[in-house]
Amino acid sequence: MNNVARPRVAIGFGGCVDLIVDSVSLLNKTGIQPTDQPLHHDYLENVEQLAQSFAYFFAPGAAAERFMLNETLFSELVEGARDLPGNRWSVGGNAPVMASRMATEGCDVLLGGTFSTDFTDVLSQHITVAGKVIDEPDIHLILEYPSGARWGRYTSRRANRYIIHSDANNPYLSSMEEFAQKLIDFKPDLLVVGGLQMMDNFPFQSGEREALLSRLGRLLSSSSPQIGIHFEMASFVEESIMEDLLHYVIPYADSLGMNEQELPNLLSSLKGSNITVLSDPNPRVATVLDQMREVYRILNQRDKEASAESRANGARATGKPLTRLHVHTLAFQAMIVSRGSKWKNTMSATAKASLTANRHVCGSNDIDTNKARLIMDDSFSVSRQEGSQRIPLQETRPVSCWSEEDYEICVAPVLVCTEVYQTAGGGDNVSAAGLVLQI
């Protein structure tokens, strides 16, 4: 037996039970007719808005998550989903999904969230829960669809999911105080924050959300500078929450994880333009790398300016430079890691993330190449700038890494699963697997 200590990871916040169903079967069963008007809605109040919003994301195959104000309609959908053949229940929420993956990969985990006892019973023995026990867990409906699924006149361009919840617990980050107390003795190597999209378009009282995020910001800024802090992005559509995150959360994280929808969303917020609700669900490598470089540059420029201002006022700088950025897309994994930073094994971590993507979506630990295909081109440009270097994909060394300015970039193709078992939780599994090898 080896005596290598298990890395210690603290992860917040929230958790729920996912009820996973085939989207088109559920819509047909509950009599929700295809709309002739795909429309983006910030939140859902009736059947018509659900149909419009679902159609908007289903055709391009983009992931989305929406809060449903209409509890009656939500209950009816859950009841319909309970009786649907082939439905599945699973532990849900960014934090528990990441915690489960990290426990599987050899970490000891402190998980912040409010759970029911039957929920905590199924968690790994390497996970300690900080938070109140509740009787009824919140149910989130995961409407999955494969590539080529049809609903009325719409056909999905790729496999993905549309998530609906009517969750009144998780937006309040109710486990934060207990989590903060247990954090002191737990002494983590890494602190992960996720699940904040539950606050998006939630009907808070005025000032409530800002107060919660401000408390979270204090928790992050007061943690030891040696502890890595990772923030896992999600589907945010409300501009004011993006502003709050850029003020209270992102400056204290030295690592960020996100998908191909969340990256342009963050970038447009950083540049002060409107949020990009729907981005290309199959972006090219060069496009993603350019967006990553820009996010990295802008956030580190902001950190420098904030630190200089603190010094000028004789205060201690509490923010951190961004030293790690991981973007997971359907076709590839891309990472930027600052040279000389605490994050190690970038090449292996990128490869691990890529393999985890296939295993999670196919629902199998074995990688079956007959059920997978590469959709990344056989070579890619490192940037959209003219005359940029092209890197060929080598079968013997599929992960490509190279150095630029003060960082290293690694890109790994994903063997995209063609017989999809589950897309929900993909990003959380992939991000967590990538982090484990770097702490």
Side-chain angles (χ1 to χ4, degrees):
M1 182 169 156
N2 61 7
N3 289 331
V4 178
R6 294 172 69 95
R8 300 171 73 76
V9 184
I11 305 180
F13 290 96
C16 57
V17 176
D18 284 346
L19 177 48
I20 303 163
V21 291
D22 176 68
S23 56
V24 177
S25 308
L26 179 65
L27 295 174
N28 291 344
K29 182 183 176 197
T30 46
I32 296 175
Q33 299 296 320
T35 173
D36 52 6
Q37 201 181 11
L39 263 186
H40 156 64
H41 293 283
D42 286 341
Y43 50 87
L44 309 172
E45 293 184 273
N46 53 43
V47 167
E48 187 186 13
Q49 289 181 347
L50 170 59
Q52 291 172 339
S53 178
F54 179 77
Y56 182 83
F57 292 100
F58 172 77
E65 181 167 358
R66 289 292 175 276
F67 178 74
M68 188 172 273
L69 270 174
N70 183 330
E71 288 179 22
T72 316
L73 174 57
F74 185 73
S75 302
E76 285 166 12
L77 290 166
V78 169
E79 286 317 303
R82 279 180 196 273
D83 306 336
L84 210 60
N87 71 12
R88 292 201 314 285
W89 295 86
S90 82
V91 168
N94 306 75
V97 171
M98 291 186 82
S100 299
R101 168 58 61 184
M102 289 185 139
T104 303
E105 302 290 351
C107 300
D108 284 329
V109 183
L110 176 69
L111 170 61
T114 37
F115 305 116
S116 58
T117 43
D118 52 355
F119 184 106
T120 47
D121 290 347
V122 298
L123 292 175
S124 155
Q125 61 187 33
H126 293 288
I127 298 177
T128 307
V129 172
K132 291 186 280 297
V133 176
I134 50 173
D135 298 337
E136 282 293 309
D138 283 284
I139 293 175
H140 289 199
L141 264 182
I142 317 287
L143 277 54
E144 290 264 353
Y145 51 85
S147 175
R150 301 179 77 118
W151 185 55
R153 61 187 178 87
Y154 306 101
T155 305
S156 61
R157 290 221 306 265
R158 55 162 278 194
N160 224 321
R161 77 281 178 181
Y162 183 94
I163 302 176
I164 320 168
H165 70 93
S166 184
D167 183 335
N169 271 317
N170 286 310
Y172 289 101
L173 310 182
S174 54
S175 58
M176 183 157 42
E177 281 185 19
E178 205 167 317
F179 181 73
Q181 285 167 354
K182 287 196 172 172
L183 206 55
I184 300 164
D185 293 335
F186 184 73
K187 298 190 171 53
D189 303 300
L190 175 70
L191 175 55
V192 178
V193 176
L196 301 187
Q197 76 278 10
M198 304 278 52
M199 305 172 108
D200 191 281
N201 278 296
F202 183 78
F204 284 109
Q205 300 296 313
S206 171
E208 252 185 329
R209 184 177 65 201
E210 200 178 344
L212 286 166
L213 287 172
S214 166
R215 267 176 45 206
L216 175 58
R218 287 199 296 278
L219 169 68
L220 298 179
S221 64
S222 64
S223 72
S224 151
Q226 280 73 49
I227 299 173
I229 295 180
H230 174 82
F231 174 48
E232 188 64 23
M233 293 273 298
S235 175
F236 294 102
V237 285
E238 208 183 335
E239 309 223 331
S240 59
I241 193 171
M242 284 301 293
E243 285 163 19
D244 285 347
L245 292 171
L246 284 170
H247 188 76
Y248 295 114
V249 180
I250 292 172
Y252 305 116
D254 30 25
S255 169
L256 297 175
M258 63 199 74
N259 69 16
E260 75 289 330
Q261 296 288 320
E262 295 145 17
L263 173 66
N265 192 345
L266 173 61
L267 187 55
S268 47
S269 296
L270 282 168
K271 291 167 126 179
S273 47
N274 291 349
I275 274 186
T276 322
V277 175
L278 186 61
S279 307
D280 182 353
N282 289 312
R284 304 191 75 83
V285 178
T287 307
V288 168
L289 291 179
D290 283 346
Q291 290 170 336
M292 287 173 76
R293 290 179 184 101
E294 207 169 349
V295 163
Y296 179 89
R297 184 182 59 75
I298 296 173
L299 284 174
N300 282 319
Q301 186 56 41
R302 284 183 158 207
D303 177 66
K304 275 200 190 85
E305 287 163 9
S307 299
E309 197 177 323
S310 297
R311 278 199 304 276
N313 297 330
R316 185 174 72 91
T318 50
K320 288 179 159 189
L322 179 70
T323 50
R324 180 183 183 277
L325 179 56
H326 177 190
V327 174
H328 35 87
T329 80
L330 181 71
F332 59 90
Q333 304 288 328
M335 250 185 233
I336 284 184
V337 173
S338 306
R339 274 200 300 281
S341 66
K342 59 165 96 50
W343 311 105
K344 48 185 200 259
N345 309 323
T346 306
M347 184 183 236
S348 313
T350 313
K352 174 91 182 171
S354 167
L355 294 171
T356 303
N358 172 284
R359 290 181 173 127
H360 174 79
V361 176
C362 275
S364 162
N365 282 329
D366 301 320
I367 291 179
D368 181 349
T369 48
N370 297 321
K371 293 183 183 171
R373 64 189 179 103
L374 279 177
I375 52 177
M376 192 169 134
D377 299 332
D378 52 9
S379 71
F380 63 88
S381 286
V382 299
S383 168
R384 286 170 65 185
Q385 287 185 323
E386 250 174 68
S388 290
Q389 178 195 359
R390 281 197 82 80
I391 293 187
L393 210 54
Q394 297 174 353
E395 283 190 10
T396 49
R397 287 200 62 175
V399 185
S400 310
C401 298
W402 65 95
S403 279
E404 292 181 21
E405 300 184 9
D406 64 341
Y407 49 80
E408 181 181 30
I409 295 183
C410 286
V411 174
V414 171
L415 280 166
V416 179
C417 184
T418 49
E419 292 183 23
V420 173
Y421 174 70
Q422 180 174 332
T423 64
D428 297 326
N429 272 279
V430 165
S431 256
L435 278 163
V436 168
L437 288 179
Q438 296 205 266
I439 50 181

